C-alpha cells in the first residue's frame, strides 16, 4: 500500500507479487478495504520472485524477504537507472543467537540496457531479519 501511495500522484503503477495466493488475496482485500482509491494503480499476481519475468521494465523493485544472493532476474527487470532494494545476507532464524542474524538493506542501481549495475552497496544504516525469499518449489 505504501508503494501505491507513493507512485499514485505521478501516475505510477505497482505490481505486487507473492508466491502464496493467500497472501496476494489478503493484500488485495486489505487495499480494497482501506485504500480502494489506490486499486487502479496496482496489479496483484501470484508469482515467484526468483523466476518472475515481465515485458515491463521497472523504475524500482522493493523486496520484502531475505535474499542470500541478489536475484539477477529482478535486476534485469530494471529500467536504466532503476533501483532494486532488498535485505541481503544469510537467511538466519530470528530466534538464532548468531550475531549475523540481522542483514543490511542492499541497493542495486541498474546501468544502461544490457550493462552491469552501476552501483551495488548498502542502502542505509538499518539491518533487518525477514523470512526468506522462497525458491521455486
Amino acid at each position: 500500500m505504501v508503494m501505491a501511495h507513493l507512485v499514485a500522484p505521478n501516475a505510477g503503477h505497482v505490481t505486487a507479487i507473492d508466491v502464496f495466493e493467500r497472501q496476494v488475496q489478503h493484500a488485495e482485500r486489505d487495499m480494497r478495504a482501506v485504500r480502494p482509491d489506490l486499486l487502479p494503480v496496482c496489479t496483484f499476481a501470484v508469482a515467484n520472485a526468483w523466476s518472475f519475468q515481465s515485458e515491463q521494465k521497472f523504475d524500482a523493485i522493493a523486496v520484502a524477504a531475505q535474499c542470500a544472493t541478489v536475484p539477477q532476474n529482478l535486476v534485469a527487470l530494471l529500467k536504466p537507472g532503476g533501483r532494486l532494494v532488498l535485505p541481503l545476507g544469510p537467511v538466519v532464524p530470528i530466534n538464532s543467537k548468531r550475531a549475523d542474524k540481522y542483514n543490511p538493506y542492499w541497493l542495486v542501481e541498474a546501468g544502461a540496457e544490457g550493462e552491469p549495475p552501476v552501483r551495488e552497496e548498502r542502502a542505509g544504516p538499518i539491518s533487518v531479519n525477514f523470512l526468506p525469499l522462497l525458491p521455486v518449489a
Side-chain angles (χ1 to χ4, degrees):
M1 234 180 295
V2 171
M3 296 295 280
H5 176 77
L6 292 172
V7 305
N10 299 314
H13 189 84
V14 172
T15 300
I17 67 168
D18 197 289
V19 70
F20 296 110
E21 183 174 1
R22 181 184 70 214
Q23 293 298 101
V24 173
Q25 291 170 347
H26 287 181
E28 190 169 4
R29 178 202 66 206
D30 291 350
M31 184 170 286
R32 190 174 308 286
V34 177
R35 290 293 308 269
D37 58 305
L38 295 176
L39 284 169
V41 301
C42 293
T43 301
F44 298 89
V46 177
N48 187 300
W50 290 108
S51 58
F52 182 70
Q53 298 295 318
S54 174
E55 294 297 317
Q56 179 181 357
K57 296 289 186 168
F58 297 91
D59 294 306
I61 299 174
V63 177
Q66 190 67 33
C67 299
T69 62
V70 175
Q72 292 303 308
N73 64 306
L74 297 182
V75 175
L77 291 175
L78 293 170
K79 292 179 182 176
R83 294 178 174 179
L84 167 66
V85 61
L86 66 153
L88 183 66
V91 175
V92 180
I94 190 68
N95 61 352
S96 172
K97 302 280 190 233
R98 288 176 48 176
D100 67 346
K101 72 179 175 182
Y102 297 104
N103 293 292
Y105 269 105
W106 198 251
L107 171 70
V108 178
E109 186 174 332
E113 189 69 37
E115 295 292 319
V118 295
R119 183 164 53 154
E120 291 193 52
E121 63 190 21
R122 187 176 181 133
I126 67 166
S127 293
V128 295
N129 186 301
F130 279 90
L131 291 172
L133 186 63
L134 297 175
V136 177

Short mmCIF file of all heavy atoms in Angstrom, two decimals, residues 28-90:
data_model
loop_
_atom_site.label_atom_id
_atom_site.label_comp_id
_atom_site.label_asym_id
_atom_site.label_seq_id
_atom_site.Cartn_x
_atom_site.Cartn_y
_atom_site.Cartn_z
N GLU A 28 -4.81 -7.66 -1.68
CA GLU A 28 -5.85 -7.01 -2.48
C GLU A 28 -7.07 -6.69 -1.63
O GLU A 28 -7.64 -5.59 -1.71
CB GLU A 28 -6.23 -7.88 -3.67
CG GLU A 28 -7.11 -7.17 -4.66
CD GLU A 28 -7.28 -7.94 -5.96
OE1 GLU A 28 -6.77 -9.07 -6.08
OE2 GLU A 28 -7.94 -7.39 -6.86
N ARG A 29 -7.47 -7.62 -0.77
CA ARG A 29 -8.61 -7.40 0.12
C ARG A 29 -8.37 -6.22 1.05
O ARG A 29 -9.23 -5.35 1.22
CB ARG A 29 -8.88 -8.67 0.94
CG ARG A 29 -10.04 -8.52 1.93
CD ARG A 29 -9.99 -9.52 3.07
NE ARG A 29 -8.81 -9.24 3.87
CZ ARG A 29 -8.17 -10.14 4.62
NH1 ARG A 29 -8.58 -11.39 4.66
NH2 ARG A 29 -7.12 -9.80 5.33
N ASP A 30 -7.17 -6.17 1.63
CA ASP A 30 -6.87 -5.09 2.57
C ASP A 30 -6.83 -3.74 1.87
O ASP A 30 -7.33 -2.74 2.41
CB ASP A 30 -5.54 -5.36 3.28
CG ASP A 30 -5.62 -6.54 4.23
OD1 ASP A 30 -6.74 -7.04 4.50
OD2 ASP A 30 -4.55 -6.98 4.70
N MET A 31 -6.28 -3.70 0.68
CA MET A 31 -6.26 -2.43 -0.05
C MET A 31 -7.68 -2.00 -0.41
O MET A 31 -8.02 -0.82 -0.31
CB MET A 31 -5.40 -2.51 -1.30
CG MET A 31 -5.30 -1.15 -1.99
SD MET A 31 -4.10 -1.09 -3.29
CE MET A 31 -2.59 -1.06 -2.34
N ARG A 32 -8.50 -2.95 -0.81
CA ARG A 32 -9.89 -2.64 -1.16
C ARG A 32 -10.62 -2.07 0.05
O ARG A 32 -11.42 -1.13 -0.07
CB ARG A 32 -10.59 -3.91 -1.66
CG ARG A 32 -11.96 -3.68 -2.26
CD ARG A 32 -12.54 -4.96 -2.88
NE ARG A 32 -11.65 -5.63 -3.81
CZ ARG A 32 -11.37 -5.21 -5.06
NH1 ARG A 32 -11.90 -4.09 -5.49
NH2 ARG A 32 -10.56 -5.89 -5.84
N ALA A 33 -10.30 -2.58 1.26
CA ALA A 33 -10.98 -2.12 2.48
C ALA A 33 -10.44 -0.78 2.97
O ALA A 33 -11.21 0.05 3.46
CB ALA A 33 -10.82 -3.17 3.58
N VAL A 34 -9.15 -0.55 2.85
CA VAL A 34 -8.52 0.62 3.46
C VAL A 34 -8.28 1.76 2.47
O VAL A 34 -8.51 2.92 2.79
CB VAL A 34 -7.18 0.21 4.12
CG1 VAL A 34 -6.47 1.41 4.71
CG2 VAL A 34 -7.43 -0.84 5.19
N ARG A 35 -7.79 1.43 1.27
CA ARG A 35 -7.48 2.47 0.28
C ARG A 35 -7.96 2.04 -1.11
O ARG A 35 -7.17 1.86 -2.03
CB ARG A 35 -5.97 2.74 0.23
CG ARG A 35 -5.36 3.43 1.42
CD ARG A 35 -5.81 4.88 1.59
NE ARG A 35 -5.67 5.72 0.42
CZ ARG A 35 -4.60 6.45 0.14
NH1 ARG A 35 -3.57 6.46 0.96
NH2 ARG A 35 -4.56 7.20 -0.95
N PRO A 36 -9.26 1.91 -1.30
CA PRO A 36 -9.77 1.48 -2.60
C PRO A 36 -9.38 2.43 -3.73
O PRO A 36 -9.32 2.03 -4.90
CB PRO A 36 -11.28 1.41 -2.41
CG PRO A 36 -11.57 2.28 -1.23
CD PRO A 36 -10.35 2.20 -0.35
N ASP A 37 -9.10 3.68 -3.40
CA ASP A 37 -8.69 4.65 -4.41
C ASP A 37 -7.36 4.29 -5.07
O ASP A 37 -7.05 4.75 -6.17
CB ASP A 37 -8.59 6.06 -3.81
CG ASP A 37 -7.61 6.11 -2.64
OD1 ASP A 37 -7.79 5.32 -1.68
OD2 ASP A 37 -6.69 6.94 -2.68
N LEU A 38 -6.57 3.41 -4.42
CA LEU A 38 -5.27 3.02 -4.97
C LEU A 38 -5.33 1.78 -5.85
O LEU A 38 -4.36 1.45 -6.53
CB LEU A 38 -4.27 2.79 -3.83
CG LEU A 38 -3.91 4.02 -3.01
CD1 LEU A 38 -2.99 3.63 -1.86
CD2 LEU A 38 -3.27 5.08 -3.88
N LEU A 39 -6.47 1.09 -5.87
CA LEU A 39 -6.58 -0.13 -6.68
C LEU A 39 -6.27 0.08 -8.16
O LEU A 39 -5.62 -0.77 -8.77
CB LEU A 39 -7.96 -0.77 -6.51
CG LEU A 39 -8.16 -1.50 -5.18
CD1 LEU A 39 -9.62 -1.86 -4.99
CD2 LEU A 39 -7.28 -2.74 -5.11
N PRO A 40 -6.65 1.21 -8.75
CA PRO A 40 -6.34 1.39 -10.18
C PRO A 40 -4.84 1.47 -10.50
O PRO A 40 -4.45 1.26 -11.65
CB PRO A 40 -7.03 2.72 -10.54
CG PRO A 40 -8.11 2.87 -9.52
CD PRO A 40 -7.56 2.26 -8.27
N VAL A 41 -4.01 1.74 -9.50
CA VAL A 41 -2.57 1.81 -9.78
C VAL A 41 -1.83 0.54 -9.36
O VAL A 41 -0.61 0.52 -9.33
CB VAL A 41 -1.92 3.05 -9.11
CG1 VAL A 41 -2.57 4.33 -9.60
CG2 VAL A 41 -1.92 2.95 -7.60
N CYS A 42 -2.59 -0.52 -9.06
CA CYS A 42 -1.98 -1.77 -8.59
C CYS A 42 -2.39 -2.97 -9.43
O CYS A 42 -3.53 -3.06 -9.88
CB CYS A 42 -2.38 -2.06 -7.15
SG CYS A 42 -1.73 -0.88 -5.98
N THR A 43 -1.43 -3.86 -9.61
CA THR A 43 -1.68 -5.18 -10.18
C THR A 43 -1.19 -6.19 -9.16
O THR A 43 -0.09 -6.02 -8.61
CB THR A 43 -0.90 -5.36 -11.50
OG1 THR A 43 -1.29 -4.35 -12.41
CG2 THR A 43 -1.14 -6.72 -12.10
N PHE A 44 -1.98 -7.20 -8.89
CA PHE A 44 -1.62 -8.24 -7.93
C PHE A 44 -1.42 -9.55 -8.69
O PHE A 44 -2.22 -9.88 -9.56
CB PHE A 44 -2.72 -8.43 -6.88
CG PHE A 44 -2.96 -7.19 -6.06
CD1 PHE A 44 -3.87 -6.23 -6.45
CD2 PHE A 44 -2.26 -6.99 -4.87
CE1 PHE A 44 -4.10 -5.10 -5.69
CE2 PHE A 44 -2.48 -5.86 -4.11
CZ PHE A 44 -3.40 -4.92 -4.51
N ALA A 45 -0.35 -10.28 -8.35
CA ALA A 45 -0.09 -11.54 -9.05
C ALA A 45 0.56 -12.56 -8.12
O ALA A 45 1.35 -12.21 -7.25
CB ALA A 45 0.83 -11.28 -10.24
N VAL A 46 0.22 -13.82 -8.34
CA VAL A 46 0.89 -14.92 -7.67
C VAL A 46 2.09 -15.26 -8.55
O VAL A 46 1.93 -15.63 -9.71
CB VAL A 46 -0.05 -16.14 -7.51
CG1 VAL A 46 0.71 -17.30 -6.88
CG2 VAL A 46 -1.27 -15.76 -6.70
N ALA A 47 3.28 -15.10 -8.00
CA ALA A 47 4.50 -15.35 -8.77
C ALA A 47 5.67 -15.55 -7.82
O ALA A 47 5.63 -15.10 -6.67
CB ALA A 47 4.78 -14.18 -9.71
N ASN A 48 6.68 -16.21 -8.30
CA ASN A 48 7.90 -16.43 -7.54
C ASN A 48 8.93 -15.40 -7.98
O ASN A 48 9.24 -15.31 -9.17
CB ASN A 48 8.41 -17.85 -7.78
CG ASN A 48 9.56 -18.18 -6.87
OD1 ASN A 48 10.59 -17.52 -6.90
ND2 ASN A 48 9.39 -19.20 -6.06
N ALA A 49 9.45 -14.65 -7.05
CA ALA A 49 10.39 -13.58 -7.40
C ALA A 49 11.66 -14.09 -8.05
O ALA A 49 12.28 -13.40 -8.85
CB ALA A 49 10.74 -12.77 -6.16
N TRP A 50 12.07 -15.32 -7.74
CA TRP A 50 13.29 -15.87 -8.33
C TRP A 50 13.13 -16.17 -9.82
O TRP A 50 14.11 -16.26 -10.55
CB TRP A 50 13.73 -17.13 -7.60
CG TRP A 50 14.24 -16.86 -6.23
CD1 TRP A 50 13.60 -17.16 -5.05
CD2 TRP A 50 15.47 -16.24 -5.86
NE1 TRP A 50 14.37 -16.74 -3.99
CE2 TRP A 50 15.52 -16.18 -4.46
CE3 TRP A 50 16.53 -15.71 -6.59
CZ2 TRP A 50 16.59 -15.63 -3.76
CZ3 TRP A 50 17.61 -15.16 -5.89
CH2 TRP A 50 17.64 -15.12 -4.51
N SER A 51 11.89 -16.34 -10.26
CA SER A 51 11.66 -16.66 -11.67
C SER A 51 10.72 -15.66 -12.35
O SER A 51 10.36 -15.84 -13.51
CB SER A 51 11.09 -18.08 -11.80
OG SER A 51 9.88 -18.19 -11.07
N PHE A 52 10.33 -14.60 -11.65
CA PHE A 52 9.39 -13.62 -12.20
C PHE A 52 9.96 -12.96 -13.44
O PHE A 52 11.10 -12.51 -13.46
CB PHE A 52 9.07 -12.55 -11.14
CG PHE A 52 8.07 -11.53 -11.59
CD1 PHE A 52 6.74 -11.87 -11.75
CD2 PHE A 52 8.45 -10.23 -11.84
CE1 PHE A 52 5.80 -10.92 -12.16
CE2 PHE A 52 7.54 -9.27 -12.25
CZ PHE A 52 6.21 -9.63 -12.41
N GLN A 53 9.16 -12.92 -14.48
CA GLN A 53 9.53 -12.28 -15.74
C GLN A 53 8.41 -11.33 -16.14
O GLN A 53 7.25 -11.56 -15.80
CB GLN A 53 9.74 -13.32 -16.85
CG GLN A 53 10.86 -14.29 -16.57
CD GLN A 53 12.22 -13.62 -16.53
OE1 GLN A 53 12.54 -12.77 -17.35
NE2 GLN A 53 13.03 -14.00 -15.56
N SER A 54 8.75 -10.29 -16.86
CA SER A 54 7.76 -9.32 -17.30
C SER A 54 8.29 -8.60 -18.54
O SER A 54 9.50 -8.39 -18.66
CB SER A 54 7.50 -8.30 -16.18
OG SER A 54 6.65 -7.27 -16.61
N GLU A 55 7.40 -8.23 -19.41
CA GLU A 55 7.77 -7.39 -20.55
C GLU A 55 8.03 -5.96 -20.07
O GLU A 55 8.77 -5.22 -20.69
CB GLU A 55 6.65 -7.38 -21.60
CG GLU A 55 6.42 -8.72 -22.26
CD GLU A 55 7.63 -9.19 -23.05
OE1 GLU A 55 8.25 -8.37 -23.76
OE2 GLU A 55 7.98 -10.38 -22.93
N GLN A 56 7.40 -5.62 -18.96
CA GLN A 56 7.54 -4.28 -18.39
C GLN A 56 8.88 -4.15 -17.68
O GLN A 56 9.35 -5.08 -17.02
CB GLN A 56 6.41 -4.04 -17.40
CG GLN A 56 6.43 -2.71 -16.72
CD GLN A 56 5.29 -2.56 -15.72
OE1 GLN A 56 4.46 -3.43 -15.57
NE2 GLN A 56 5.27 -1.43 -15.04
N LYS A 57 9.50 -2.98 -17.78
CA LYS A 57 10.69 -2.64 -17.01
C LYS A 57 10.26 -1.71 -15.88
O LYS A 57 9.32 -0.93 -16.01
CB LYS A 57 11.74 -1.97 -17.88
CG LYS A 57 12.28 -2.86 -18.99
CD LYS A 57 13.16 -3.95 -18.43
CE LYS A 57 13.81 -4.74 -19.55
NZ LYS A 57 14.87 -5.60 -19.08
N PHE A 58 10.97 -1.78 -14.76
CA PHE A 58 10.55 -1.08 -13.55
C PHE A 58 11.57 -0.02 -13.13
O PHE A 58 12.77 -0.21 -13.26
CB PHE A 58 10.36 -2.08 -12.40
CG PHE A 58 9.27 -3.08 -12.67
CD1 PHE A 58 9.56 -4.29 -13.28
CD2 PHE A 58 7.96 -2.81 -12.32
CE1 PHE A 58 8.56 -5.22 -13.54
CE2 PHE A 58 6.95 -3.73 -12.57
CZ PHE A 58 7.25 -4.94 -13.18
N ASP A 59 11.05 1.09 -12.59
CA ASP A 59 11.90 2.13 -12.02
C ASP A 59 12.46 1.67 -10.67
O ASP A 59 13.57 2.06 -10.30
CB ASP A 59 11.10 3.42 -11.79
CG ASP A 59 10.66 4.05 -13.10
OD1 ASP A 59 11.53 4.28 -13.96
OD2 ASP A 59 9.46 4.31 -13.26
N ALA A 60 11.66 0.91 -9.95
CA ALA A 60 12.07 0.45 -8.63
C ALA A 60 11.44 -0.91 -8.33
O ALA A 60 10.31 -1.18 -8.73
CB ALA A 60 11.64 1.45 -7.56
N ILE A 61 12.20 -1.73 -7.63
CA ILE A 61 11.71 -3.01 -7.13
C ILE A 61 12.12 -3.10 -5.67
O ILE A 61 13.30 -2.94 -5.35
CB ILE A 61 12.30 -4.21 -7.92
CG1 ILE A 61 11.90 -4.13 -9.40
CG2 ILE A 61 11.85 -5.53 -7.30
CD1 ILE A 61 12.56 -5.18 -10.29
N ALA A 62 11.15 -3.33 -4.80
CA ALA A 62 11.42 -3.49 -3.37
C ALA A 62 11.07 -4.92 -2.99
O ALA A 62 9.95 -5.38 -3.22
CB ALA A 62 10.58 -2.50 -2.57
N VAL A 63 12.02 -5.62 -2.41
CA VAL A 63 11.83 -7.00 -1.98
C VAL A 63 11.70 -7.00 -0.46
O VAL A 63 12.55 -6.46 0.24
CB VAL A 63 13.01 -7.89 -2.42
CG1 VAL A 63 12.83 -9.32 -1.91
CG2 VAL A 63 13.16 -7.88 -3.94
N ALA A 64 10.65 -7.62 0.05
CA ALA A 64 10.42 -7.70 1.49
C ALA A 64 10.59 -9.14 1.97
O ALA A 64 9.73 -9.70 2.63
CB ALA A 64 9.04 -7.16 1.84
N ALA A 65 11.71 -9.73 1.58
CA ALA A 65 12.06 -11.09 2.01
C ALA A 65 13.57 -11.21 1.94
O ALA A 65 14.22 -10.60 1.09
CB ALA A 65 11.38 -12.12 1.11
N GLN A 66 14.12 -11.99 2.85
CA GLN A 66 15.57 -12.14 2.94
C GLN A 66 16.13 -12.88 1.72
O GLN A 66 15.60 -13.90 1.33
CB GLN A 66 15.92 -12.94 4.21
CG GLN A 66 17.37 -12.95 4.54
CD GLN A 66 17.88 -11.59 4.93
OE1 GLN A 66 17.18 -10.79 5.52
NE2 GLN A 66 19.11 -11.30 4.58
N CYS A 67 17.19 -12.35 1.16
CA CYS A 67 17.84 -12.96 -0.01
C CYS A 67 19.30 -13.24 0.31
O CYS A 67 20.03 -12.33 0.74
CB CYS A 67 17.78 -12.02 -1.21
SG CYS A 67 16.12 -11.61 -1.74
N ALA A 68 19.74 -14.46 0.08
CA ALA A 68 21.14 -14.81 0.28
C ALA A 68 21.99 -14.25 -0.86
O ALA A 68 23.17 -13.97 -0.69
CB ALA A 68 21.31 -16.31 0.40
N THR A 69 21.37 -14.10 -2.04
CA THR A 69 22.04 -13.51 -3.20
C THR A 69 21.06 -12.56 -3.88
O THR A 69 19.85 -12.64 -3.66
CB THR A 69 22.48 -14.59 -4.22
OG1 THR A 69 21.31 -15.26 -4.70
CG2 THR A 69 23.44 -15.59 -3.61
N VAL A 70 21.57 -11.69 -4.70
CA VAL A 70 20.73 -10.76 -5.45
C VAL A 70 20.05 -11.52 -6.59
O VAL A 70 20.74 -12.13 -7.41
CB VAL A 70 21.56 -9.59 -6.01
CG1 VAL A 70 20.69 -8.70 -6.89
CG2 VAL A 70 22.19 -8.78 -4.88
N PRO A 71 18.71 -11.51 -6.66
CA PRO A 71 18.02 -12.17 -7.77
C PRO A 71 18.30 -11.43 -9.09
O PRO A 71 17.79 -10.35 -9.33
CB PRO A 71 16.54 -12.08 -7.40
CG PRO A 71 16.51 -11.75 -5.93
CD PRO A 71 17.77 -10.98 -5.67
N GLN A 72 19.13 -12.03 -9.92
CA GLN A 72 19.55 -11.36 -11.15
C GLN A 72 18.40 -11.15 -12.13
O GLN A 72 18.42 -10.20 -12.91
CB GLN A 72 20.69 -12.14 -11.81
CG GLN A 72 21.98 -12.11 -11.00
CD GLN A 72 22.47 -10.70 -10.73
OE1 GLN A 72 22.60 -9.87 -11.64
NE2 GLN A 72 22.73 -10.39 -9.46
N ASN A 73 17.37 -12.00 -12.06
CA ASN A 73 16.22 -11.78 -12.93
C ASN A 73 15.50 -10.47 -12.57
O ASN A 73 14.96 -9.80 -13.43
CB ASN A 73 15.25 -12.96 -12.89
CG ASN A 73 14.63 -13.15 -11.52
OD1 ASN A 73 15.34 -13.27 -10.53
ND2 ASN A 73 13.32 -13.18 -11.46
N LEU A 74 15.53 -10.08 -11.30
CA LEU A 74 14.93 -8.81 -10.90
C LEU A 74 15.79 -7.64 -11.35
O LEU A 74 15.27 -6.61 -11.77
CB LEU A 74 14.69 -8.77 -9.38
CG LEU A 74 13.71 -9.80 -8.83
CD1 LEU A 74 13.53 -9.62 -7.33
CD2 LEU A 74 12.37 -9.76 -9.55
N VAL A 75 17.10 -7.78 -11.27
CA VAL A 75 18.00 -6.73 -11.77
C VAL A 75 17.72 -6.50 -13.26
O VAL A 75 17.67 -5.37 -13.73
CB VAL A 75 19.48 -7.11 -11.53
CG1 VAL A 75 20.41 -6.07 -12.17
CG2 VAL A 75 19.77 -7.24 -10.04
N ALA A 76 17.51 -7.59 -14.00
CA ALA A 76 17.24 -7.49 -15.44
C ALA A 76 15.93 -6.79 -15.75
O ALA A 76 15.73 -6.30 -16.86
CB ALA A 76 17.26 -8.89 -16.07
N LEU A 77 15.02 -6.72 -14.77
CA LEU A 77 13.73 -6.06 -14.97
C LEU A 77 13.77 -4.56 -14.71
O LEU A 77 12.77 -3.86 -14.89
CB LEU A 77 12.67 -6.70 -14.07
CG LEU A 77 12.26 -8.13 -14.43
CD1 LEU A 77 11.30 -8.67 -13.39
CD2 LEU A 77 11.63 -8.17 -15.81
N LEU A 78 14.92 -4.05 -14.28
CA LEU A 78 15.03 -2.61 -14.01
C LEU A 78 15.27 -1.81 -15.28
O LEU A 78 16.01 -2.22 -16.16
CB LEU A 78 16.20 -2.36 -13.05
CG LEU A 78 16.05 -2.89 -11.63
CD1 LEU A 78 17.38 -2.77 -10.89
CD2 LEU A 78 14.94 -2.16 -10.88
N LYS A 79 14.65 -0.63 -15.33
CA LYS A 79 14.98 0.35 -16.37
C LYS A 79 16.39 0.86 -16.09
O LYS A 79 16.85 0.80 -14.94
CB LYS A 79 14.01 1.54 -16.31
CG LYS A 79 12.60 1.23 -16.69
CD LYS A 79 11.74 2.48 -16.55
CE LYS A 79 10.30 2.23 -16.88
NZ LYS A 79 9.46 3.42 -16.65
N PRO A 80 17.08 1.41 -17.09
CA PRO A 80 18.37 2.04 -16.81
C PRO A 80 18.20 3.09 -15.70
O PRO A 80 17.29 3.91 -15.73
CB PRO A 80 18.75 2.69 -18.13
CG PRO A 80 18.09 1.81 -19.16
CD PRO A 80 16.77 1.43 -18.52
N GLY A 81 19.05 2.99 -14.68
CA GLY A 81 18.94 3.89 -13.54
C GLY A 81 17.95 3.41 -12.50
O GLY A 81 17.82 4.02 -11.42
N GLY A 82 17.21 2.33 -12.80
CA GLY A 82 16.25 1.79 -11.84
C GLY A 82 16.95 1.19 -10.64
O GLY A 82 18.12 0.81 -10.71
N ARG A 83 16.23 1.07 -9.54
CA ARG A 83 16.83 0.60 -8.30
C ARG A 83 16.08 -0.58 -7.71
O ARG A 83 14.86 -0.58 -7.65
CB ARG A 83 16.88 1.73 -7.28
CG ARG A 83 17.80 2.84 -7.71
CD ARG A 83 17.80 3.95 -6.73
NE ARG A 83 18.82 4.93 -7.12
CZ ARG A 83 19.04 6.03 -6.46
NH1 ARG A 83 18.36 6.31 -5.37
NH2 ARG A 83 19.98 6.86 -6.87
N LEU A 84 16.86 -1.55 -7.26
CA LEU A 84 16.36 -2.72 -6.54
C LEU A 84 16.87 -2.60 -5.12
O LEU A 84 18.07 -2.34 -4.90
CB LEU A 84 16.91 -4.00 -7.18
CG LEU A 84 16.77 -5.31 -6.40
CD1 LEU A 84 15.31 -5.70 -6.24
CD2 LEU A 84 17.55 -6.42 -7.09
N VAL A 85 15.99 -2.73 -4.14
CA VAL A 85 16.40 -2.72 -2.75
C VAL A 85 15.86 -3.99 -2.10
O VAL A 85 14.73 -4.39 -2.35
CB VAL A 85 15.96 -1.43 -2.01
CG1 VAL A 85 14.47 -1.25 -2.00
CG2 VAL A 85 16.52 -1.38 -0.61
N LEU A 86 16.73 -4.64 -1.30
CA LEU A 86 16.37 -5.91 -0.70
C LEU A 86 17.23 -6.16 0.53
O LEU A 86 18.35 -5.65 0.62
CB LEU A 86 16.57 -7.05 -1.70
CG LEU A 86 18.01 -7.34 -2.13
CD1 LEU A 86 18.13 -8.79 -2.53
CD2 LEU A 86 18.42 -6.45 -3.28
N PRO A 87 16.72 -6.97 1.48
CA PRO A 87 17.57 -7.39 2.58
C PRO A 87 18.49 -8.50 2.07
O PRO A 87 18.02 -9.51 1.54
CB PRO A 87 16.59 -7.91 3.64
CG PRO A 87 15.27 -8.02 2.98
CD PRO A 87 15.33 -7.36 1.66
N LEU A 88 19.82 -8.30 2.18
CA LEU A 88 20.78 -9.22 1.59
C LEU A 88 21.70 -9.80 2.64
O LEU A 88 22.31 -9.06 3.42
CB LEU A 88 21.61 -8.49 0.53
CG LEU A 88 22.62 -9.33 -0.24
CD1 LEU A 88 21.92 -10.37 -1.10
CD2 LEU A 88 23.51 -8.43 -1.10
N GLY A 89 21.80 -11.11 2.64
CA GLY A 89 22.70 -11.79 3.56
C GLY A 89 22.17 -13.17 3.88
O GLY A 89 21.14 -13.59 3.36
N PRO A 90 22.85 -13.88 4.76
CA PRO A 90 22.43 -15.24 5.06
C PRO A 90 21.04 -15.26 5.71
O PRO A 90 20.70 -14.35 6.47
CB PRO A 90 23.49 -15.76 6.03
CG PRO A 90 24.12 -14.53 6.60
CD PRO A 90 24.01 -13.48 5.55
#
